[in-house]
Amino acid sequence: MKASKKEIIKKLAVRRKMSESALINEFIDNGLKVQAYDDNIDKIISQIIKAINEQLEVFLRSERKLIVKNTRASAINTYICAGLYERLLPNFRQKDFKELLETSKKQTSMYIKKEVEKGTKEKDIIDYYRWGDLY
């Protein structure tokens, strides 16, 4: 048989060694705190999102700098190699080199645009020499 609310309050007040009115006041205060929390939940969530976005922006800025540095280093290496090959190869081989350079550009472009498949890296390695080809 269920106890009435009044009986529950009496038993709880005795257990906590406080008056029934003090217990009821405590319940009211806690209820108001919960209601205030519920009323402010959107504001709290927006502040949390703002803090996360600020930290994420710092991280992304750092990542962008790393990508730019890597791209710059890669471009420098590419132009150095191209310049060396052009200077070191005899004139009759420069045409082959320019064809190789154009094929490499196409292969790179195809690889960058390529959709990620369910294959493995081994499949990419096997397909390496076909990236610039027409399928």
Side-chain angles (χ1 to χ4, degrees), residues 9-20 23:
I9 291 173
K10 282 182 182 179
K11 288 179 183 178
L12 195 54
V14 169
R15 196 176 319 142
R16 288 191 179 184
K17 298 178 183 173
M18 58 192 322
S19 69
E20 291 175 24
L23 182 64

Side-chain angles (χ1 to χ4, degrees), residues 103-121:
T103 303
S104 297
K105 286 179 187 177
K106 288 178 186 175
Q107 287 175 332
T108 302
S109 184
M110 293 283 286
Y111 183 72
I112 289 171
K113 292 176 185 176
K114 183 179 163 187
E115 300 233 358
V116 177
E117 299 171 4
K118 290 185 178 179
T120 62
K121 287 184 180 181

Side-chain angles (χ1 to χ4, degrees), residues 4 15 17 36 41 43 51 69 72 83 98 101-102 104 110 113-114 120:
S4 70
R15 196 176 319 142
K17 298 178 183 173
I41 191 75
K43 185 177 178 181
K69 287 179 181 179
R72 184 173 184 269
K98 288 181 181 179
L101 188 59
E102 287 304 313
S104 297
M110 293 283 286
K113 292 176 185 176
K114 183 179 163 187
T120 62

